[in-house]
Structures are given as C-alpha cells and as structure tokens.
Amino acid sequence: MALEPPPGPRATRLQQVYTASLTRTLDKLSYDNLSGCYPTIARRASPLLRQVQAQMVDKLRDKSDREFAGILRARDVVRKLNHLEGLIADAEGRRKEAEAEAEAAAVAADLAADVKPPHRLPPREILNAHLDARLAEHVALLDARLQTTQAQNALLADLVRQQRGEMSALLAGLERAVDDVRGANAVLGPAADRLAGEARRDAGLGG
C-alpha cells in the first residue's frame, strides 16, 4: 500500500476547515442543550446525563473523523491537492521565465539594431525587427498568464467541490446526531418516567 503523502498548504487548509465545521456541529450537542430536552433527568441524575452527552459527542467525532479520512484516501485528495500546488508553482515559474526571455529578446533586438546602423536598413526591416521583439514579449506574457489562469480555475473548481463535500458531510453528521439523540431518548425515556414518578411521590402527588 502506498504511503499517504504529507499534506501541502491546501490539503492542510481543507483539514482545518473540516475540523472547525465538525466542532461547530458537535457544539450544538452541548450538555446545556441536551439538559433542556431532559430537565427532569438533568435535575435528578445530572452525572448520568453528562456521561451520556460526552459519550455521544465522542462517538460522533470519532465516526466523522474516520469517515472523512476514508474519503480523503478513497479520492486521493491529498495527492491531488499537492499536484495542484505543483501546477500553480510551475505556471508561476513559466510566467517569470517568459518575462525574462522576453526581456532578453528585447535587449538582443536592441543590440542587433546597434550592430547595423538603422539608417542603412530598409524601413520595413526596421519595423519588423521592432514588431517581432514586442510581439514575442506579448505572446510569452499571454501564454504565462493563460497557464496561471488555467491553474487558478482548476483550484477554484476543486474548492467548489470541497465546499459541496463539506456541506454533504455536515448534513450527514447532523442526521447522525439526530438519530443518536433519538436513540438516547429511547434509552433515557424509561429513566425519565421513573424519576418523574419519584418526584411526584416526593411532592405527595404520587400513589
């Protein structure tokens, strides 16, 4: 099995965005929010409810982390983002190289013009010499800019896909959280009824 490549800046940022999003989602399952759903248990058995809440959050975090890591491996996300980093760096290098070549071509054209006095050249040849140097410079710059734009477009498309994946993961996490809360409700329901009965008996309302 191939080793997972170390994450580059964009892969690291993706992990940071996921972690922050998951934390915000799990914060909604705080003890305060859960105790509001089960006030009787919160009063009569607060340690039990805190334990259930902590276990629920830990379980959701662990499951989400494993699923996210599985998606990264299955889609080879880190390697692709690192490859994109290389493409952008290569495009930037080509742009700088093209600018340097264009500048060198302009200098060479000026030197060539100095070798033979311009007044001894036909007007069209003089015009073509200047146009060729300028056109070569512009073509090189346009080519470098095109490559940079293509790399940036690829990055934007990848970021859009990441955002869509993040939204899907968040929605799935919320659905799992709702299912777990329902499961906790089923488990804690009998205990809540029993504690409510005890509270009524303590108040002289029970049988």
Side-chain angles (χ1 to χ4, degrees):
M1 180 181 295
L3 295 177
E4 185 76 12
R10 285 173 176 78
T12 300
R13 178 56 183 161
L14 175 61
Q15 181 67 49
Q16 292 172 345
V17 170
Y18 158 76
T19 301
S21 300
L22 179 62
T23 299
R24 287 195 300 269
T25 300
L26 294 180
D27 285 345
K28 299 181 185 301
L29 295 175
S30 65
Y31 173 78
D32 291 338
N33 290 339
L34 194 61
S35 63
C37 299
Y38 305 99
T40 302
I41 297 179
R43 290 194 305 270
R44 305 283 294 181
S46 177
L48 172 62
L49 188 60
R50 288 185 183 276
Q51 181 180 5
V52 170
Q53 182 268 340
Q55 291 176 349
M56 185 184 304
V57 171
D58 289 342
K59 179 181 178 182
L60 285 173
R61 186 183 301 278
D62 179 68
K63 186 175 182 181
S64 298
D65 287 344
R66 284 188 282 106
E67 289 182 356
F68 183 72
I71 292 173
L72 292 183
R73 288 192 300 270
R75 299 184 181 179
D76 201 13
V77 173
V78 174
R79 187 188 64 80
K80 290 178 180 178
L81 287 178
N82 290 349
H83 180 62
L84 179 61
E85 298 273 1
L87 289 177
I88 294 176
D90 183 64
E92 181 65 17
R94 288 175 180 270
R95 182 184 66 81
K96 292 180 179 179
E97 182 179 349
E99 290 177 350
E101 290 178 354
E103 183 177 355
V107 172
D110 291 340
L111 291 176
D114 291 339
V115 173
K116 190 174 184 180
H119 67 274
R120 299 180 60 184
L121 295 173
R124 180 172 295 278
E125 186 174 345
I126 296 175
L127 178 62
N128 289 338
H130 284 285
L131 288 178
D132 288 344
R134 296 302 179 187
L135 287 175
E137 178 181 357
H138 285 296
V139 168
L141 288 175
L142 288 174
D143 182 63
R145 289 174 181 171
L146 176 61
Q147 293 184 26
T148 301
T149 300
Q150 290 173 340
Q152 291 174 343
N153 288 340
L155 172 60
L156 290 175
D158 191 72
L159 289 176
V160 169
R161 287 192 295 270
Q162 291 176 21
Q163 292 295 326
R164 289 177 178 173
E166 178 187 344
M167 292 300 297
S168 298
L170 288 177
L171 290 175
L174 289 175
E175 290 176 357
R176 291 193 298 270
V178 170
D179 291 339
D180 285 345
V181 169
R182 288 174 178 170
N185 185 34
V187 173
L188 295 175
D193 293 339
R194 178 174 56 80
L195 291 173
E198 292 177 0
R200 287 195 297 271
R201 286 196 297 273
D202 292 343
L205 299 178

